[in-house]
Amino acid sequence: MERKNSFRGIQGAISKINPELLRSVITSGTAARGGPEARSPPGAATAFRHATTPLPVLTSACRSGSKGTAPLTIFYNGTVAVFDLPQDKAESILKLAEKGNVGGVLEAADPTASGHEEDLLTKLNGELLPIARKKSLERFFAKRKERWQNVKRTWHW
Amino acid sequence: MSVERRERATKFRADVYFFFNYYFPRRGPAAALDWIQRPLPSSEKGCLRRLLIWCSPLVDILLRDLVLILGSTAGGASRRRLGEMERQSLNRVMSLGISDLALECVMGYIDDPRDREAVSLVCRKWYRIDAITRKHITIAICYSASPDRLRRRFPRLESLKLKGKPRAAMFNLIPEDWGGYAGPWVCEIADAFNCLKAVHFRRMIVQDADIGVLVKARGHMLQALKLDKCSGFSTDGLLLVARSCRCLRTLFLEESSVTENDGEWLHELAVNNSVLETLNFYMTELRISPQELELLARNCRSLISLKISECDVSDLVGFFRTATALEEFGGGSFNDQAGEINRYERVCFPPRLCCLGLSYMGMNEMHIIFPFAASLKKLDLQYTFLSTEDHCQLIQRCPNLEILEVRNVIGDRGLEVVAQTCKKLRRLRIERGDDEQGPEDEQGRVSQIGLSSLARGCPELEYIAVYVSDITNAALESVGTFSKNLCDFRLVLLDREEMITELPLDNGVHALLRGCTKLRRFAFYLRPGGLSDVGLGYIGENSNNIRWMLLGNVGESDLGLLQLARGCPSLQKLELRSCCFSERALALAVMQLPSLRYLWVQGYKASPTGKDLLAMARPFWNIEFIPPRQDIGDHEFEDRRGGVESQAQILAYYSLAGRRTDCPETVIPLYPPA
């Protein structure tokens, strides 16, 4: 339960990253490699030029961790995640990605942390999207709710 | 050459033979030409359309050449050059010297865009004549061509339809600033399109300034203006339209976001226009007064369709009395004030009214429709407060219904009534109810029972869209067996029930697609386990005519997608959501589908570096990546969804306009490394 809560917290961190930061982080990667342009389209070109790294893992310089942890930013499956992890955990995740073998590496990892990582990777690996709702109907339902609330208020008199 | 093209070429050939052997035995080219230039009785048009004036002693050879040329220009092949044999045939064809005027005459009868496409690919002369005689163009995604290119090719266009944002925008999945700006198009229209009478922008960003430019240049000729699910303009823009477009017959603003500047646009419209036939500002928040509507009804005697924003129906008594030609009405509202029991009794609808949709109508007001329910052809109950029982009561009085739109509160019981009563039903849409159930929603579930009754009872159905809570293979088989006229089938399996009676739906979808051969649009949105890879293979094999597909939560692995991609010969537009396919499979599928020109994906397995996605990189193919983001949709509804995160999206489409230059922060174009 605790682990789930901390994961929720991380998910919160995920959603707070705005695309601007994303872009600048990606661009700084290009700049470091002497990429031709820093402007659009930066994000695209960069992420895919990293042919040598197994994972586009970029360490964000603007956050500081505590207790010897460093922030680790991972782009995976169309989502972005930032974690404060000790060095060995970070390395185990990297190894995991390189091997592409989720089960094997997890077993080798620290048992107390393994549940957390499993949650993490299961979540990252294709969380089911809720069925999208049509705008027009959403508006109608909101108005309907307003009317009920008005009626309730009327009845209280 | 696709199956469909081959069939058309064969039919073409048969028609020409028929024409020559029965209509013009031995009379020769001059007589035929003379006959073609006379006004044609409509029964002969079909045959002549396909003839395309080639009358000559060399007909036999010509026909073979034409079949070869038309046949070889299928789908993606149009982008390749003609082979040697084909070039020789072309020379023969071109050497006959039929006048351009005659060609223009005949081409005017050809409306179908695919026929036109074939015609334009025969030779340069035919291309030119098609270009100057083409009346209407629909551009499915506005970034696939530049305004300039449109002008150069079709300078005499009379009607233009442009679509901007992806369809997913209707579900709040696309950032508002994604793009689809009408500006550049409006400038080109103002500059160059001197024959343009009808403009339709759908899901685009249109500003008041754009409207200004448009009406200044074309206002005197504009007969139809549709700003359909658009945003970016205000009532000031509408005021400009009202003042400058005196011959406007259609003004359509449905579901657009219009900023209210307390304008007098409706008053101005009523005062300046006397030929308006269709006015639609349904699902907008525009504020109008009943008096303005009454004025409109007085001045525009040809008004046959009016769909409005909210306005109490009891205030429309005067309007309904005046608008005697009205056939369609939508919108309004009902406000159940305690103490005013007979508020809506005085409402008397116009005599010819046959299409109706009344917002917020409840059980107590429903009976005002009863007097003319039997003449209703179209009924929209999506935005009403009716229960399952109410639906039954109302629909059993509507035997002439052709189009019905409801929410799933109609239930299986309501669908049973539809099946028994509405034998002429052609289109049925059953939308999803709210998760927070209203007092009327208690029996609101549609399942295989309702769907089966419907298929059996309504054989004329051409369009079915349904959100089901439960489903079986047998129900889908029923649809395949009985709904032979089906062109558009959309099924979404809701996620509230844990257990579904029968999954996977492989056999059901197989039977459905085998039975419904006319199907052109298909949506199948399930849950994991809903359709196996074999099922996806069935879809691929049996979708010969399907142009658009939306698939959600289907398949088990990449193999499924690849099997799908081996089929679907006509698939032009593919939307995938919440599936488990990898980037590599997506890229392979894109490269394999012969007619694909548009792809939208949300929810997929990304490769670590994303370079697998670039396997689909090719000339003229734009790929856009929309990273995941937070808090999409209207902020007023935040309490309902509380800052939802959404997964990344891929959007890819063919474009002759090159790379987009107006991408916002939220859209990242992808290109292979140089």
Side-chain angles (χ1 to χ4, degrees):
Chain A
M1 205 48 205
E2 245 180 39
R3 288 192 205 114
K4 277 209 173 119
N5 283 342
S6 67
F7 187 75
R8 291 266 148 74
I10 289 163
Q11 286 257 296
I14 295 171
S15 48
K16 282 180 179 83
I17 294 182
N18 70 41
E20 185 58 64
L21 175 62
L22 206 80
R23 209 169 251 264
S24 64
V25 166
I26 294 170
T27 319
S28 64
T30 331
R33 293 171 140 271
E37 73 264 65
R39 279 192 48 76
S40 55
T46 328
F48 300 89
R49 274 178 200 155
H50 287 156
T52 49
T53 35
L55 243 173
V57 173
L58 305 170
T59 312
S60 166
C62 28
R63 320 258 283 260
S64 56
S66 54
K67 287 194 213 164
T69 61
L72 175 70
T73 310
I74 299 181
F75 296 86
Y76 187 83
N77 194 29
T79 57
V80 182
V82 180
F83 310 104
D84 266 335
L85 295 170
Q87 185 64 14
D88 49 353
K89 296 286 184 298
E91 269 170 21
S92 72
I93 289 179
L94 278 176
K95 276 196 211 124
L96 190 145
E98 277 177 56
K99 285 192 185 170
N101 181 1
V102 173
V105 180
L106 274 180
E107 275 153 34
D110 182 350
T112 51
S114 68
H116 177 96
E117 282 164 12
E118 212 175 279
D119 273 341
L120 188 151
L121 285 149
T122 322
K123 287 266 180 184
L124 287 173
N125 240 325
E127 190 168 329
L128 219 57
L129 284 164
I131 299 177
R133 296 157 170 280
K134 218 169 189 183
K135 246 196 248 184
S136 51
L137 283 165
E138 287 284 275
R139 261 196 305 264
F140 169 71
F141 294 136
K143 289 193 178 162
R144 184 171 75 165
K145 192 171 175 183
E146 252 178 68
R147 285 178 168 233
W148 293 339
Q149 286 167 347
N150 287 340
V151 167
K152 272 192 219 158
R153 272 185 232 121
T154 325
W155 277 111
H156 280 154
W157 289 102
Chain B
M1 198 195 319
S2 75
V3 168
E4 205 205 339
R5 288 247 170 197
R6 199 181 299 132
E7 279 172 14
R8 281 188 26 231
T10 310
K11 191 154 200 312
F12 175 103
R13 181 185 188 149
D15 280 349
V16 176
Y17 265 94
F18 177 75
F19 178 80
F20 276 103
N21 291 327
Y22 292 96
Y23 276 76
F24 264 133
R26 320 296 185 275
R27 271 160 81 181
L33 210 58
D34 173 62
W35 192 59
I36 284 159
Q37 283 169 333
R38 278 188 284 131
L40 292 167
S42 54
S43 58
E44 281 148 356
K45 264 192 209 170
C47 176
L48 265 177
R49 273 175 41 171
R50 294 180 186 95
L51 170 65
L52 302 175
I53 1 169
W54 293 112
C55 23
S56 138
L58 300 171
V59 155
D60 265 321
I61 302 168
L62 261 181
L63 283 176
R64 255 174 281 148
D65 294 344
L66 279 168
V67 165
L68 193 68
I69 292 164
L70 285 176
S72 71
T73 55
S78 62
R79 273 172 278 280
R80 69 165 170 77
R81 301 172 148 271
L82 295 175
E84 191 48 53
M85 198 166 67
E86 287 147 6
R87 229 169 302 181
Q88 280 176 11
S89 313
L90 253 187
N91 289 334
R92 266 202 295 265
V93 154
M94 287 171 68
S95 66
L96 282 165
I98 299 297
S99 79
D100 287 4
L101 183 62
L103 253 178
E104 269 184 59
C105 267
V106 172
M107 279 212 203
Y109 292 110
I110 304 174
D111 299 317
D112 183 65
R114 291 170 304 145
D115 283 343
R116 279 284 185 156
E117 184 196 344
V119 158
S120 70
L121 292 166
V122 171
C123 63
R124 280 200 207 283
K125 178 153 91 162
W126 287 33
Y127 175 96
R128 267 199 309 272
I129 296 180
D130 162 62
I132 54 178
T133 56
R134 195 84 75 105
K135 298 267 166 26
H136 171 81
I137 286 285
T138 297
I139 299 184
I141 174 163
C142 60
Y143 292 110
S144 60
S146 66
D148 177 61
R149 196 184 187 99
L150 183 71
R151 174 190 51 80
R152 276 183 281 129
R153 179 148 179 205
F154 300 112
R156 301 213 203 141
L157 218 52
E158 293 181 14
S159 161
L160 176 63
K161 176 173 176 180
L162 280 170
K163 298 198 215 173
K165 297 193 174 95
R167 209 183 61 94
M170 301 197 313
F171 299 85
N172 268 324
L173 297 173
I174 304 290
E176 171 57 33
D177 60 353
W178 174 86
Y181 298 97
W185 295 93
V186 157
C187 288
E188 198 67 46
I189 289 172
D191 254 347
F193 288 98
N194 297 321
C195 308
L196 205 65
K197 300 189 289 199
V199 173
H200 183 167
F201 293 132
R202 185 167 161 94
R203 295 194 291 267
M204 293 184 73
I205 298 176
V206 185
Q207 294 173 338
D208 286 340
D210 300 329
I211 298 177
V213 169
L214 180 65
V215 303
K216 189 163 176 208
R218 308 241 46 83
H220 62 287
M221 268 185 66
L222 212 58
Q223 289 186 11
L225 178 62
K226 297 187 184 174
L227 303 176
D228 175 3
K229 298 182 174 61
C230 292
S231 59
F233 61 103
S234 74
T235 49
D236 295 344
L238 295 181
L239 204 54
L240 288 171
V241 172
R243 287 193 183 132
S244 319
C245 305
R246 288 167 187 256
C247 16
L248 206 62
R249 294 190 186 1
T250 298
L251 179 60
F252 183 104
L253 308 167
E254 187 166 315
E255 238 189 300
S256 289
S257 306
V258 191
T259 309
E260 182 72 68
N261 284 344
D262 287 327
E264 297 263 301
W265 67 274
L266 186 54
H267 179 86
E268 289 294 304
L269 188 65
V271 158
N272 286 305
N273 191 306
S274 59
V275 293
L276 199 68
E277 292 168 15
T278 302
L279 176 60
N280 181 325
F281 50 99
Y282 193 38
M283 313 291 299
T284 65
E285 304 292 326
L286 290 168
R287 287 195 301 269
I288 46 101
S289 77
Q291 292 80 19
E292 288 165 335
L293 284 176
E294 220 177 304
L295 182 61
L296 186 76
R298 269 205 298 279
N299 291 348
C300 301
R301 305 308 298 156
S302 336
L303 193 70
I304 49 174
S305 169
L306 179 73
K307 294 176 85 166
I308 62 172
S309 53
E310 287 177 31
C311 174
D312 198 294
V313 169
S314 63
D315 293 336
L316 294 173
V317 172
F319 166 77
F320 286 136
R321 208 180 17 236
T322 321
T324 47
L326 204 71
E327 294 171 16
E328 174 170 36
F329 179 77
S333 74
F334 289 84
N335 297 292
D336 209 1
Q337 304 288 340
E340 275 203 63
I341 327 160
N342 295 316
R343 185 184 178 134
Y344 299 105
E345 299 304 318
R346 323 172 272 134
V347 177
C348 187
F349 291 98
R352 296 213 203 123
L353 200 68
C354 57
C355 303
L356 188 61
L358 293 170
S359 304
Y360 313 123
M361 183 175 67
M363 186 183 73
N364 295 329
E365 300 98 29
M366 193 172 70
H367 63 277
I368 63 173
I369 303 182
F370 290 178
F372 59 100
S375 44
L376 282 179
K377 291 200 202 150
K378 178 173 172 186
L379 188 57
D380 181 358
L381 303 174
Q382 292 175 101
Y383 310 106
T384 59
F385 298 144
L386 302 178
S387 66
T388 307
E389 178 58 35
D390 298 334
H391 280 79
C392 295
Q393 291 275 326
L394 179 52
I395 293 168
Q396 74 186 28
R397 291 173 154 89
C398 306
N400 290 308
L401 222 48
E402 294 176 24
I403 302 174
L404 178 61
E405 295 170 303
V406 294
R407 299 193 314 277
N408 62 358
V409 62
I410 191 177
D412 286 333
R413 200 153 68 84
L415 282 183
E416 187 60 54
V417 173
V418 172
Q420 283 167 9
T421 319
C422 310
K423 295 301 181 185
K424 299 186 193 169
L425 200 66
R426 287 186 295 110
R427 294 175 66 93
L428 175 62
R429 160 163 279 273
I430 305 175
E431 271 294 347
R432 173 192 193 177
D434 197 6
D435 280 349
E436 280 181 50
Q437 297 232 320
E440 68 263 16
D441 286 343
E442 277 147 29
Q443 296 167 52
R445 288 173 78 257
V446 170
S447 75
Q448 60 272 16
I449 303 168
L451 192 57
S452 301
S453 324
L454 186 70
R456 283 193 173 82
C458 305
E460 304 295 317
L461 277 168
E462 295 166 5
Y463 173 104
I464 301 176
V466 58
Y467 282 79
V468 292
S469 306
D470 195 5
I471 191 71
T472 57
N473 283 292
L476 297 176
E477 282 162 24
S478 298
V479 175
T481 309
F482 296 104
S483 309
K484 289 301 185 188
N485 291 315
L486 213 56
C487 298
D488 193 331
F489 181 78
R490 310 181 192 201
L491 183 120
V492 178
L493 180 58
L494 290 171
D495 51 10
R496 301 201 72 199
E497 300 294 321
E498 272 210 38
M499 292 300 299
I500 299 298
T501 302
E502 196 184 6
L503 289 181
L505 296 171
D506 296 1
N507 295 332
V509 80
H510 194 190
L512 189 147
L513 293 174
R514 290 252 303 267
C516 302
T517 51
K518 295 190 196 170
L519 214 59
R520 291 181 36 167
R521 297 169 72 84
F522 179 65
F524 215 45
Y525 200 112
L526 307 175
R527 56 174 68 178
L531 194 74
S532 74
D533 286 345
V534 172
L536 272 178
Y538 289 155
I539 296 182
E541 285 159 12
N542 297 289
S543 345
N544 284 336
N545 293 323
I546 298 183
R547 308 271 157 79
W548 168 80
M549 240 191 245
L550 161 66
L551 298 173
N553 281 318
V554 295
E556 303 160 294
S557 72
D558 286 350
L559 269 167
L561 181 60
L562 295 174
Q563 280 182 314
L564 179 85
R566 252 180 241 136
C568 302
S570 309
L571 191 64
Q572 293 177 330
K573 184 170 173 184
L574 179 60
E575 297 177 16
L576 292 171
R577 195 160 186 269
S578 191
C579 296
C580 56
F581 310 127
S582 67
E583 279 177 9
R584 190 178 153 272
L586 288 171
L588 278 170
V590 160
M591 299 305 274
Q592 209 167 354
L593 287 161
S595 306
L596 195 73
R597 62 186 195 190
Y598 178 106
L599 173 74
W600 180 84
V601 185
Q602 185 182 40
Y604 61 98
K605 278 206 172 73
S607 58
T609 52
K611 69 175 166 65
D612 284 353
L613 196 55
L614 285 175
M616 70 159 98
R618 54 190 172 177
F620 305 112
W621 186 247
N622 282 6
I623 310 173
E624 293 174 15
F625 180 76
I626 302 174
R629 62 208 174 95
Q630 188 207 14
D631 83 274
I632 9 124
D634 293 331
H635 286 275
E636 29 184 305
F637 304 125
E638 229 171 61
D639 62 322
R640 289 173 56 76
R641 297 198 282 134
V644 177
E645 292 148 29
S646 86
Q647 285 199 22
Q649 299 171 33
I650 302 167
L651 177 67
Y653 52 92
Y654 269 126
S655 173
L656 295 170
R659 302 176 176 188
R660 267 184 72 177
T661 50
D662 60 358
C663 286
E665 291 295 322
T666 44
V667 177
I668 303 173
L670 303 185
Y671 305 104

